[in-house]
Amino acid sequence: MLQDPMDFEWSYWIEWGREHILWLLAGHLLVSQVSRLLLEKYKPWCLMAYGMVACWLLLGIKGFAVILLHAAVSFAVAQFQLSLLTWLCSLILLSTLRIPAVEETKRKWYDTENEYYLLLFTVSVRCLFCTSFSLEYCWHRPTQKSSHSFPWMLAYVFYYPTFHNGPLMNFDEFSKQMRRQEAFSVKSNLSILIVGVIRIFFWWCLAELMIHLMYIHALYSSALPLESASYWALGGLALAQVLFFYVKYLVLYGVPALLLQMDGLKPPALPCCVSLMHSFTKMWR
């Protein structure tokens, strides 16, 4: 059956997920569970090492170097303990993604545009994580800064479930939960995994049905059917659009949220159903 090809984000991440990312996430799950079982004390460093290897495999040595460089620059600027300087650094690092000469150089590193876009998306999201670490470094008192070391920043930046597309988790929450050592139960973790996989599979099937049957995005890309539609039809199309957006992010954020749970962390809340909201403030967050 033909599907609506106009939602670039869904098509892009599903393609990458099937080919590479899901396998790397499965590898992260394996490393995480083994380290929780045998090396609980060293779990953050095992996961950091795995994230670095996964980044290297998917983005290449040059992509890995770019993310490492961004983290190092952000950490160096954070030493001045000025929030304004941190924001300025983050904006400058983000702006380098739009410099034509830099864009052209990075494109030459890869064979396809999709690989270049993966680097672009990843660096953008990593910049948010670097900003979170740097701001919290600026805000804390000197006695609290022992937990804000460069190795911990790398453990946070290279944590693989949130690596390419988020969701965002503040550094303080991440480090506090990652340091916490708790009893590990294979049985309870297995039940969390099974229930989580079933839920995500249901959401994915629903999203695929919408893509194959409703053609929402294809209709929006053409002015003719929109001009001839009634106000009720336009309202229905708008509702269908935001409902698909909601279901899409239940999948895209549901997978990393499940892995966060498996790692013993509390994931950020998944998106709220748009039909129950009177304001889009939470939606954009």
Side-chain angles (χ1 to χ4, degrees):
M1 184 187 292
L2 294 176
Q3 70 176 47
D4 184 351
M6 301 305 292
D7 191 294
F8 169 78
E9 187 178 32
W10 178 256
S11 305
Y12 183 84
W13 288 117
I14 289 299
E15 182 182 342
W16 270 107
R18 285 171 176 163
E19 291 182 4
H20 301 287
I21 294 176
L22 278 180
W23 299 105
L24 290 172
L25 289 173
H28 169 92
L29 180 61
L30 179 62
V31 171
S32 166
Q33 299 310 293
V34 170
S35 62
R36 288 191 74 186
L37 190 61
L38 305 175
L39 302 163
E40 179 70 26
K41 187 179 177 181
Y42 301 101
K43 181 179 71 172
W45 317 121
C46 293
L47 298 183
M48 179 190 75
Y50 180 84
M52 287 179 161
V53 171
C55 173
W56 193 318
L57 289 173
L58 215 52
L59 299 176
I61 181 62
K62 293 176 180 176
F64 171 78
V66 166
I67 294 170
L68 195 59
L69 178 64
H70 277 221
V73 170
S74 296
F75 184 78
V77 171
Q79 303 310 301
F80 292 99
Q81 299 180 41
L82 295 170
S83 298
L84 182 61
L85 200 58
T86 289
W87 280 115
L88 203 59
C89 172
S90 297
L91 290 172
I92 290 170
L93 289 174
L94 274 177
S95 69
T96 61
L97 301 178
R98 301 301 299 164
I99 298 173
V102 176
E103 280 188 279
E104 195 57 37
T105 301
K106 288 177 181 175
R107 274 192 168 91
K108 289 177 182 176
W109 297 348
Y110 302 106
D111 298 326
T112 65
E113 281 287 290
N114 273 1
E115 290 174 290
Y116 166 70
Y117 286 143
L118 185 65
L119 174 67
L120 204 63
F121 296 146
T122 305
V123 171
S124 301
V125 174
R126 292 306 92 202
C127 191
L128 289 174
F129 280 69
C130 290
T131 304
S132 172
F133 175 91
S134 300
L135 286 174
E136 286 163 12
Y137 185 92
C138 294
W139 295 336
H140 284 310
R141 293 188 296 272
T143 53
Q144 297 173 293
K145 286 188 170 33
S146 58
S147 62
H148 288 68
S149 62
F150 189 59
W152 267 104
M153 183 186 193
L154 293 182
Y156 176 57
V157 169
F158 285 97
Y159 182 66
Y160 196 69
T162 61
F163 191 68
H164 297 293
N165 197 34
L168 179 65
M169 186 179 190
N170 292 340
F171 174 73
D172 277 1
E173 295 173 10
F174 174 83
S175 62
K176 181 182 176 182
Q177 293 177 39
M178 191 64 82
R179 288 170 191 273
R180 183 180 62 211
Q181 295 187 18
E182 54 185 21
F184 175 72
S185 168
V186 175
K187 185 178 179 180
S188 64
N189 255 24
L190 188 60
S191 64
I192 290 170
L193 180 64
I194 292 170
V195 171
V197 167
I198 291 170
R199 288 173 67 187
I200 292 166
F201 181 71
F202 171 76
W203 295 332
W204 174 76
C205 288
L206 184 58
E208 285 291 321
L209 275 174
M210 295 173 82
I211 282 281
H212 281 82
L213 300 177
M214 298 179 72
Y215 293 87
I216 313 157
H217 306 89
L219 286 169
Y220 273 113
S221 65
S222 176
L224 189 61
L226 296 178
E227 288 171 354
S228 59
S230 67
Y231 290 126
W232 281 104
L234 290 173
L237 281 171
L239 179 60
Q241 175 90 349
V242 293
L243 283 172
F244 178 77
F245 185 84
Y246 161 65
V247 173
K248 173 171 66 176
Y249 271 91
L250 284 178
V251 177
L252 297 183
Y253 281 175
V255 174
L258 175 59
L259 289 172
L260 280 160
Q261 278 186 285
M262 297 294 293
D263 292 346
L265 309 180
K266 183 182 178 182
L270 291 176
C272 299
C273 180
V274 292
S275 299
L276 304 176
M277 295 166 60
H278 69 278
S279 167
F280 255 57
T281 306
K282 286 186 178 179
M283 192 71 178
W284 298 127
R285 287 177 182 172

